[in-house]
Amino acid sequence: MKIGIVGKPNTGKSTFFKAATLADVPVANYPFTTIDANVGTGFVRVECAEKFFGVKCNPRQGYCIDGNRFVPVELVDVAGLVIGAHEGRGLGNKFLDDLRQADVLIHIVDASGKTDEEGRPCEDHDPLNDIKFLEDELNSWYYGILERNRKKIQTINDIATQVSGLNVSLSMVKETVLSMKLNENPKKWSEAELMGFVKILREKSKPILIAANKCDHPQSEKYLERLKELGAIPCSAETELALREANKKGLIKYIPGDKSFEILSKDLTDGQKRGLEFIKKFLERFGNTGVQQVINQAVFKVLNYIVVFPGGVNKLADSEGRILPDAFLMPPGSTALDFAYKIHTDFGDKFIAAIDVKTKQRVGKDYKLKNMDVIEIISGR
Ligand SMILES: Nc1nc2c(ncn2[C@@H]2O[C@H](COP(=O)(O)OP(=O)(O)OP(=O)(O)O)[C@@H](O)[C@H]2O)c(=O)[nH]1
Ligand SMILES: [Mg+2]
């Protein structure tokens, strides 16, 4: 699972990335602070299967606090995108190359309106204008790839070959052709049809979730409602970063995504107390900082992924004694056989049956996995 963090310069992409990964990356109030993409591990938060079995898990990857399991996902924070990026403006082409393999994009919008279309500090810029521009740039990027290679494209399969580097599958291409009722021969498509095709293909392969960042800023009130109407999630990356850093230092206990935190340290400075008081008021108003919610929604609402745990009816531990060591993110429609392959190619090749560990029911290879399933694979030797 690869999530791209995108948007014009200076909207808080690296702050969001830093809050989600606690990696040490530069953040500053001017455009193009980030030049080379930052790649790191963030997490989706799900209920851990340990609760159901009344055990304590021991994750191999990620972590678990108070029954909340944090499952790793890859985050890529890229350079800011400006109009004309697909023609190489700004850090355009590089930016786009860094996004090739992304499954979903989080568009970080500056909801405070304090940065103009190129990310320069300004008084009042309507952030709603930033949404269409980003979609247009991405669509133009796809279009450019097909346009440049037009001579090589004779069939639908050729299209899939040209865009395979963008994490686009042949079935996505075929579905799009079918849904648009396009001619089987792409050479017969009009310019408008090609543009329409590219738009839908981009939406399928790089869907976008909007994060209305800097919502702690008073001026964001002016724009938040309209942004929410477009599906945006209010978020304050800076607040999340402060909470996670304070938690790391042991000053507070804060579980990412929670609606509140607990003060642990008795030696807070006046500045720290004031900062935490400000954050408390923010959380009372918004319910959460939005950062965890944005990552979860990208994976579970936009992509419709589910989380499935490997386990056994007789034991929930692996050979090294770790209880419920893994939690896997699976695409919608995944079957028991897909899950077997996810664990190990051998399990897939020699699949006999699977067991739904919660109900102890035996299921076949075509069993459609459900969110929060715990599955045992029975395979031959
Ligand atoms: N008020 C407020 N400011 C924020 C928030 N998130 C980021 N900022 C500020 O916005 C500015 C830009 O942050 P960055 O994270 O560097 O932004 P970026 O989008 O990565 O910028 P580029 O790499 O230049 O494209 C910094 O001054 C941050 O402190 C937030 O949630 N609230
Ligand atoms: Mg940055």
Side-chain angles (χ1 to χ4, degrees), residues 8-19:
K8 71 180 186 187
N10 211 3
T11 58
K13 297 180 296 298
S14 297
T15 309
F16 186 98
F17 175 84
K18 196 169 174 175

Side-chain angles (χ1 to χ4, degrees), residues 10 12-15 26-27 32-35 38 77-80:
N10 211 3
K13 297 180 296 298
S14 297
T15 309
V27 162
F32 300 119
T33 305
T34 307
I35 294 174
N38 299 305
D77 163 39
V78 299

Side-chain angles (χ1 to χ4, degrees), residues 320-344:
E320 289 169 46
R322 284 178 297 226
I323 295 172
L324 294 167
D326 294 308
F328 292 120
L329 293 169
M330 302 293 297
S334 296
T335 62
L337 184 63
D338 296 328
F339 190 62
Y341 275 111
K342 176 92 184 177
I343 301 174
H344 200 287

